PDB file of all heavy atoms in Angstrom:
ATOM      1  N   ALA A 681      -9.398 -13.013 -16.814  1.00 95.00           N
ATOM      2  CA  ALA A 681      -9.358 -12.538 -18.327  1.00 95.00           C
ATOM      3  C   ALA A 681     -10.443 -11.590 -18.598  1.00 95.00           C
ATOM      4  O   ALA A 681     -10.175 -10.503 -19.345  1.00 95.00           O
ATOM      5  CB  ALA A 681      -9.381 -13.716 -19.222  1.00 95.00           C
ATOM      6  N   VAL A 682     -11.565 -11.819 -18.258  1.00 95.00           N
ATOM      7  CA  VAL A 682     -12.826 -11.049 -18.490  1.00 95.00           C
ATOM      8  C   VAL A 682     -12.528  -9.645 -17.813  1.00 95.00           C
ATOM      9  O   VAL A 682     -12.799  -8.695 -18.426  1.00 95.00           O
ATOM     10  CB  VAL A 682     -14.074 -11.672 -17.933  1.00 95.00           C
ATOM     11  CG1 VAL A 682     -15.308 -10.730 -17.998  1.00 95.00           C
ATOM     12  CG2 VAL A 682     -14.320 -12.883 -18.871  1.00 95.00           C
ATOM     13  N   LEU A 683     -12.093  -9.608 -16.537  1.00 92.00           N
ATOM     14  CA  LEU A 683     -11.860  -8.273 -15.828  1.00 92.00           C
ATOM     15  C   LEU A 683     -10.802  -7.589 -16.509  1.00 92.00           C
ATOM     16  O   LEU A 683     -10.853  -6.395 -16.653  1.00 92.00           O
ATOM     17  CB  LEU A 683     -11.463  -8.673 -14.435  1.00 92.00           C
ATOM     18  CG  LEU A 683     -12.597  -9.228 -13.481  1.00 92.00           C
ATOM     19  CD1 LEU A 683     -12.130  -9.577 -12.128  1.00 92.00           C
ATOM     20  CD2 LEU A 683     -13.689  -8.145 -13.302  1.00 92.00           C
ATOM     21  N   LEU A 684      -9.672  -8.214 -16.863  1.00 92.00           N
ATOM     22  CA  LEU A 684      -8.687  -7.526 -17.606  1.00 92.00           C
ATOM     23  C   LEU A 684      -9.038  -6.945 -19.014  1.00 92.00           C
ATOM     24  O   LEU A 684      -8.647  -5.782 -19.256  1.00 92.00           O
ATOM     25  CB  LEU A 684      -7.408  -8.506 -17.798  1.00 92.00           C
ATOM     26  CG  LEU A 684      -6.002  -7.966 -18.240  1.00 92.00           C
ATOM     27  CD1 LEU A 684      -5.580  -7.027 -17.131  1.00 92.00           C
ATOM     28  CD2 LEU A 684      -5.063  -9.104 -18.421  1.00 92.00           C
ATOM     29  N   ALA A 685      -9.931  -7.773 -19.767  1.00 93.00           N
ATOM     30  CA  ALA A 685     -10.329  -7.194 -20.986  1.00 93.00           C
ATOM     31  C   ALA A 685     -11.258  -6.094 -20.690  1.00 93.00           C
ATOM     32  O   ALA A 685     -11.229  -5.047 -21.458  1.00 93.00           O
ATOM     33  CB  ALA A 685     -11.081  -8.375 -21.627  1.00 93.00           C
ATOM     34  N   ALA A 686     -12.247  -6.111 -19.688  1.00 88.00           N
ATOM     35  CA  ALA A 686     -12.986  -5.085 -19.437  1.00 88.00           C
ATOM     36  C   ALA A 686     -12.265  -3.710 -19.144  1.00 88.00           C
ATOM     37  O   ALA A 686     -12.591  -2.543 -19.570  1.00 88.00           O
ATOM     38  CB  ALA A 686     -14.004  -5.312 -18.365  1.00 88.00           C
ATOM     39  N   CYS A 687     -11.302  -3.832 -18.414  1.00 84.00           N
ATOM     40  CA  CYS A 687     -10.502  -2.646 -17.789  1.00 84.00           C
ATOM     41  C   CYS A 687      -9.812  -1.963 -19.091  1.00 84.00           C
ATOM     42  O   CYS A 687      -9.884  -0.648 -19.012  1.00 84.00           O
ATOM     43  CB  CYS A 687      -9.444  -3.116 -16.850  1.00 84.00           C
ATOM     44  SG  CYS A 687      -9.954  -3.545 -15.151  1.00 84.00           S
ATOM     45  N   PHE A 688      -9.321  -2.746 -20.024  1.00 85.00           N
ATOM     46  CA  PHE A 688      -8.671  -2.114 -21.159  1.00 85.00           C
ATOM     47  C   PHE A 688      -9.669  -1.669 -22.357  1.00 85.00           C
ATOM     48  O   PHE A 688      -9.378  -0.877 -23.088  1.00 85.00           O
ATOM     49  CB  PHE A 688      -7.552  -2.970 -21.633  1.00 85.00           C
ATOM     50  CG  PHE A 688      -6.312  -2.905 -20.731  1.00 85.00           C
ATOM     51  CD1 PHE A 688      -6.158  -3.719 -19.785  1.00 85.00           C
ATOM     52  CD2 PHE A 688      -5.311  -1.968 -21.065  1.00 85.00           C
ATOM     53  CE1 PHE A 688      -5.080  -3.739 -18.960  1.00 85.00           C
ATOM     54  CE2 PHE A 688      -4.149  -1.979 -20.165  1.00 85.00           C
ATOM     55  CZ  PHE A 688      -3.968  -2.704 -19.154  1.00 85.00           C
ATOM     56  N   ALA A 689     -10.734  -2.487 -22.417  1.00 79.00           N
ATOM     57  CA  ALA A 689     -11.596  -2.212 -23.503  1.00 79.00           C
ATOM     58  C   ALA A 689     -12.514  -1.073 -23.294  1.00 79.00           C
ATOM     59  O   ALA A 689     -12.911  -0.458 -24.160  1.00 79.00           O
ATOM     60  CB  ALA A 689     -12.448  -3.528 -23.808  1.00 79.00           C
ATOM     61  N   PHE A 690     -12.964  -0.788 -22.027  1.00 68.00           N
ATOM     62  CA  PHE A 690     -13.881   0.262 -21.666  1.00 68.00           C
ATOM     63  C   PHE A 690     -13.250   1.487 -20.952  1.00 68.00           C
ATOM     64  O   PHE A 690     -13.930   1.994 -20.176  1.00 68.00           O
ATOM     65  CB  PHE A 690     -15.054  -0.331 -20.873  1.00 68.00           C
ATOM     66  CG  PHE A 690     -15.775  -1.409 -21.615  1.00 68.00           C
ATOM     67  CD1 PHE A 690     -15.542  -2.754 -21.190  1.00 68.00           C
ATOM     68  CD2 PHE A 690     -16.505  -1.034 -22.721  1.00 68.00           C
ATOM     69  CE1 PHE A 690     -16.178  -3.640 -21.900  1.00 68.00           C
ATOM     70  CE2 PHE A 690     -17.167  -2.124 -23.440  1.00 68.00           C
ATOM     71  CZ  PHE A 690     -17.047  -3.457 -23.059  1.00 68.00           C
ATOM     72  N   VAL A 691     -11.991   1.661 -21.059  1.00 59.00           N
ATOM     73  CA  VAL A 691     -11.261   2.838 -20.528  1.00 59.00           C
ATOM     74  C   VAL A 691     -11.895   4.105 -21.042  1.00 59.00           C
ATOM     75  O   VAL A 691     -11.983   4.165 -22.207  1.00 59.00           O
ATOM     76  CB  VAL A 691      -9.702   2.792 -20.626  1.00 59.00           C
ATOM     77  CG1 VAL A 691      -9.212   4.099 -20.209  1.00 59.00           C
ATOM     78  CG2 VAL A 691      -9.230   1.606 -19.862  1.00 59.00           C
TER      79      VAL A 691
END
Side-chain angles (χ1 to χ4, degrees):
V682 171
L683 291 176
L684 194 59
C687 288
F688 282 90
F690 301 106
V691 170

